Amino acid sequence: MAFTSIDQARDRYDVIVVGSGLGGLTCANRLARAGHSVLLLEHHIQLGGLATWFKRKGHIFDVSLHGFPYGMVKTCKKYWNKAIRDSIVQLNNIVFDNPQFSLTTTFSRDDFTRILQEKFGIARTVVEEFFSTVGRMNFFDDQTMTTRELFEKFFPGRTDVHRLLMEPITYANGSTLDEPAITYGIVFSNFMNKGVFTFQGGTDKLIGMMADELRKNGVTICTGARVDRIIVENGRVCGVQVGNRIIAAPSVVSNSGITNTVDNLAGREVFSPGFLEGFDSVKVNNSSCQVYFGLRPGESFPEVGDLLFTSTAEEFSSDEMLDMETKSRTFSVYYPKTRPQHPDYTVVASMNANYDDWAGLENDAYKAAKEAMIERCFMDLDRYIPGIREKVDWVEAATPRTFNRYTLHTRGTSFGTKFEGLDISRSIFKEVPGLFHVGSVGIIMSGWLGAINYGVIVANDVDGFLRC
Amino acid sequence: MTRDEIRDVILEIIEDIDEDADFDSLDADQPLRDQLDLDSMDFLDIVMELRKRYKLQIPEEEYPELSTLNSCVNYLEPKLKDS
C-alpha cells in the first residue's frame, strides 16, 4: 500500500481523522462520501489499528480477525461496498472445552436454545425468556442490573451455564460479570443473531479494500504520521500538529483512545472541570496476550474447529482469565480456506491480560515470561492438534507491551474503556466544538462491528457540525 | 414540497439503504422499523441523507418523529415547504 507523505498533504481540510482503526476508517469514508474533504493520519506504517496483521517467514498472522457478528454483512455493504460484504463467510465450528462441558456449536440462538435444553436441562420457556430479555436491551436502558444478576435471575447457581454464556464475551470485549447487563445483552444478542462470521481473504485484504475505497472517495491517507497535538484555540478545534507541520481543519475526529485524546492530544486544559471529573472516572479495559503459531509448508492438520474456547480452570472467573498464568485461552484456527490467495495453516492463541503484570518486567524476566506463556499454549494446543510442536516453523508471543507499542493505547488496552467511557466519547464535541472521538468505548462500541458502526454514528455528528 | 413528494423522497432514501425493501404492503401508520427490518443505524442514514439533500438538521431527541411513514411526512412537511 502506497500512501501520501505528510509533506504532500494540503494545508486545510474539512475534517482530519487521527488514527485508522476500523472506527476511524469508517468515519473517514462516510464523511468523504458525504462530500467533505478528509485527511486520515496514522502513526503506524499500516492502516487498521488493532484490525491488523503481520508477516513472518511466509506466514500472515491475523491479530483480531477471530470472528464477528452477522451484522457486519449489512454494515459493510452500506458503509463500504458490496465486494467487501461478499467476502464475509460464516464460521460453523465454535468449540467449548473446559472441565464443566465440551461441545461444538454454531454460536447462534437456534443452536444455543437446543444446547441449553438438551445438554444443560434448562426449560425451553426459560431459554426463550432469557433471549427475549437480552434481545430487547438498549444502551440507554437501566444500567443498575449486572450481568451476574441477570444470570442468577434466569439460571440460579448454574455456573456451567454462566460460563457458556459469558466466557466468549469476556474474550470479545474484556467484560466481567460485574458490568452492566445491557453491555452483555447487546453484544451477546448481536452474535446470537446468526452466528459467527469472518472475512475471507484475511485482515490484510479487508484493510486493502477499505484503503482503495477511501482513495476512490478522495480521502488523503498519510501513514507514519503521528499527530503531536490537536490544536484548540478560543475553545474550538482548528487543526492538528504533525511534526513541524500544522494542518488546519474545523473538525478533528480522534480515533486514538479516549484517554489519549483528552490527556495527550487535546490536553486537559481545554476541558471544563465538570467534564474532567467524569473523564477521570473512566476505566480503561484490560489488555491481551497472544501467541502465534505458523505451520511449516507441507504440514497440515484436520479440522478441529474455527474458534476454540478452552480452559482447564474449574469454573469461569474473569480474574482467573486475566492472570499471567491463566489456564483459559481461545485458539483462533486459520485454515487454507481463510486466505485462498495465500493458503496456510496458522493458529492464534489469545488471552486476556493486565498491563501492569507485564509493564514492569526487566528484559530477562520479560523474555522468560513470554517463553513460559508460549510453553503453556503449546501444551494446551497439543490436546487439539497432537504433535503441533513438530509441525510449526514459527512461534512468537505478543503482550500488553506489544499492544501498547503498536496502538499507543493507554495501558495497552485492547477493548477500549468500560461503560462510562461511552458518555465521555459521546459528549466531547459538546465540550470542545469540532472535537470528536471514535473508538472502542463503553464495551458495546468495541469489536469490529461496534467500531465500524460507531464510526458511522460519529460521522453523522461531524456532518451535522460541518453543515451547521 | 408536497406531502406526496416528501413521501417519495423517504421511500427513495430507504431504497438506497436497502434495495430489497418491499413497499407494496407497507402500512403508513405502522413503524417502518418493524415492517422493513430497519435498525437504528438505518434511521441515522436517513437523517444524514436528509441533511445532505435539504440542509435539514434533525436533533437526536426528534428521531422518534421518523418512526412511521406518515409521521415522517407530518414532521417534515413544515420543514420542507420551501424546498
Side-chain angles (χ1 to χ4, degrees), chain A residues 30-31 33-35 74-75 77-79 82 85 138 426 430 452-454 456-457 459-461 463-465 467-468, chain B residues 15-20 33 36-39 41-49 51-53 55 57-58 60 63:
Chain A
R30 192 94 181 110
L31 288 166
R33 265 199 213 163
K74 186 174 175 183
T75 278
K77 190 201 108 186
K78 284 203 299 179
Y79 309 121
K82 285 180 185 164
R85 175 198 62 185
N138 284 302
R426 296 293 301 133
K430 292 165 191 154
I452 292 183
N453 280 345
Y454 197 36
V456 175
I457 292 169
N460 179 54
D461 297 333
D463 183 67
F465 173 80
R467 290 183 198 279
C468 209
Chain B
E15 203 168 14
D16 282 344
I17 294 168
D18 178 9
E19 65 206 26
D20 301 324
R33 191 176 183 142
L36 296 175
D37 202 19
L38 300 183
D39 56 31
M41 296 300 293
D42 296 318
F43 281 91
L44 208 59
D45 298 344
I46 295 172
V47 167
M48 196 154 154
E49 189 61 28
R51 190 189 302 124
K52 186 175 170 184
R53 292 189 187 193
K55 297 195 177 2
Q57 297 276 8
I58 304 177
E60 209 168 326
Y63 289 1

Side-chain angles (χ1 to χ4, degrees), chain A residues 1 27 64 71 80 86 90 104 139 157 173 181 185 200 213 224 226 262 281 338 358 365 373 436:
Chain A
M1 281 188 270
C27 195
S64 65
W80 287 98
D86 291 343
Q90 187 159 17
T104 300
F139 75 91
N173 60 29
Q200 192 167 50
E213 182 68 28
R226 181 167 173 171
V262 173
S281 73
T338 307
W358 293 85
M373 178 169 71
F436 298 85

Side-chain angles (χ1 to χ4, degrees), chain B:
Chain B
M1 287 171 79
T2 66
R3 289 181 64 87
D4 281 349
E5 284 167 341
I6 294 173
R7 190 192 132 95
D8 288 347
V9 163
I10 297 291
L11 294 179
E12 185 188 301
I13 293 173
I14 294 175
E15 203 168 14
D16 282 344
I17 294 168
D18 178 9
E19 65 206 26
D20 301 324
D22 175 16
F23 300 133
D24 292 347
S25 55
L26 189 69
D27 181 336
D29 287 312
Q30 293 300 313
L32 291 162
R33 191 176 183 142
D34 304 340
Q35 302 179 78
L36 296 175
D37 202 19
L38 300 183
D39 56 31
S40 55
M41 296 300 293
D42 296 318
F43 281 91
L44 208 59
D45 298 344
I46 295 172
V47 167
M48 196 154 154
E49 189 61 28
L50 286 169
R51 190 189 302 124
K52 186 175 170 184
R53 292 189 187 193
Y54 308 109
K55 297 195 177 2
L56 192 66
Q57 297 276 8
I58 304 177
E60 209 168 326
E61 53 276 16
E62 290 173 18
Y63 289 1
E65 305 281 351
L66 305 176
S67 65
T68 73
L69 189 55
N70 278 343
S71 72
C72 283
V73 176
N74 293 340
Y75 175 73
L76 295 172
E77 193 181 7
K79 295 183 187 298
L80 295 178
K81 63 179 191 298
D82 300 325
S83 295

Side-chain angles (χ1 to χ4, degrees), chain A residues 103-154:
Chain A
L103 56 88
T104 300
T105 172
T106 56
F107 207 73
S108 60
R109 177 170 172 165
D110 288 349
D111 205 33
F112 258 46
T113 302
R114 177 187 65 81
I115 287 167
L116 282 166
Q117 290 177 90
E118 291 176 6
K119 227 175 144 68
F120 293 82
I122 307 291
R124 186 177 183 94
T125 49
V126 175
V127 178
E128 294 289 336
E129 182 57 26
F130 173 74
F131 273 114
S132 77
T133 300
V134 294
R136 280 195 305 265
M137 287 177 170
N138 284 302
F139 75 91
F140 45 77
D141 290 348
D142 177 43
Q143 296 150 25
T144 50
M145 184 196 252
T146 65
T147 306
R148 187 190 306 279
E149 286 160 356
L150 173 77
F151 289 169
E152 279 302 328
K153 181 177 167 194
F154 285 94

Side-chain angles (χ1 to χ4, degrees), chain A residues 58-312:
Chain A
H59 303 294
I60 305 176
F61 292 105
D62 295 285
V63 170
S64 65
L65 181 59
H66 321 291
F68 43 71
Y70 181 71
M72 277 285 277
V73 170
K74 186 174 175 183
T75 278
C76 284
K77 190 201 108 186
K78 284 203 299 179
Y79 309 121
W80 287 98
N81 58 44
K82 285 180 185 164
I84 289 178
R85 175 198 62 185
D86 291 343
S87 294
I88 295 174
V89 295
Q90 187 159 17
L91 293 174
N92 286 306
N93 296 312
I94 312 302
V95 174
F96 286 79
D97 186 32
N98 59 59
Q100 290 174 294
F101 53 88
S102 295
L103 56 88
T104 300
T105 172
T106 56
F107 207 73
S108 60
R109 177 170 172 165
D110 288 349
D111 205 33
F112 258 46
T113 302
R114 177 187 65 81
I115 287 167
L116 282 166
Q117 290 177 90
E118 291 176 6
K119 227 175 144 68
F120 293 82
I122 307 291
R124 186 177 183 94
T125 49
V126 175
V127 178
E128 294 289 336
E129 182 57 26
F130 173 74
F131 273 114
S132 77
T133 300
V134 294
R136 280 195 305 265
M137 287 177 170
N138 284 302
F139 75 91
F140 45 77
D141 290 348
D142 177 43
Q143 296 150 25
T144 50
M145 184 196 252
T146 65
T147 306
R148 187 190 306 279
E149 286 160 356
L150 173 77
F151 289 169
E152 279 302 328
K153 181 177 167 194
F154 285 94
F155 315 105
R158 292 297 301 268
T159 58
D160 52 346
V161 175
H162 301 179
R163 181 176 220 162
L164 174 73
L165 298 174
M166 190 67 203
E167 208 172 61
I169 305 304
T170 301
Y171 287 120
N173 60 29
S175 60
T176 70
L177 291 170
D178 300 312
E179 243 80 57
I182 52 163
T183 63
Y184 173 81
I186 290 168
V187 176
F188 182 70
S189 300
N190 279 342
F191 274 107
M192 281 289 128
N193 180 9
K194 285 204 168 93
V196 182
F197 292 76
T198 191
F199 190 82
Q200 192 167 50
T203 317
D204 47 332
K205 185 174 176 198
L206 171 67
I207 300 297
M209 289 170 88
M210 287 180 166
D212 290 342
E213 182 68 28
L214 288 165
R215 281 198 206 89
K216 197 183 98 194
N217 294 323
V219 175
T220 306
I221 307 173
C222 300
T223 54
R226 181 167 173 171
V227 171
D228 296 297
R229 66 185 182 112
I230 294 169
I231 305 167
V232 177
E233 274 170 18
N234 302 321
R236 303 179 72 87
V237 159
C238 56
V240 301
Q241 182 180 352
V242 184
N244 52 16
R245 274 213 71 180
I246 304 254
I247 302 169
S251 61
V252 172
V253 179
S254 174
N255 183 220
S256 157
I258 185 74
T259 41
N260 266 345
T261 303
V262 173
D263 285 332
N264 306 326
L265 288 175
R268 295 173 69 91
E269 61 280 7
V270 306
F271 300 95
S272 68
F275 180 87
L276 289 175
E277 195 182 324
F279 169 74
D280 286 332
S281 73
V282 173
K283 294 180 286 296
V284 299
N285 223 320
N286 59 268
S287 184
S288 305
C289 287
Q290 291 191 315
V291 176
Y292 313 92
F293 303 90
L295 247 64
R296 185 176 295 116
E299 289 284 1
S300 66
F301 50 75
E303 284 256 352
V304 295
D306 297 301
L307 195 51
L308 286 69
F309 298 107
T310 76
S311 179
T312 52

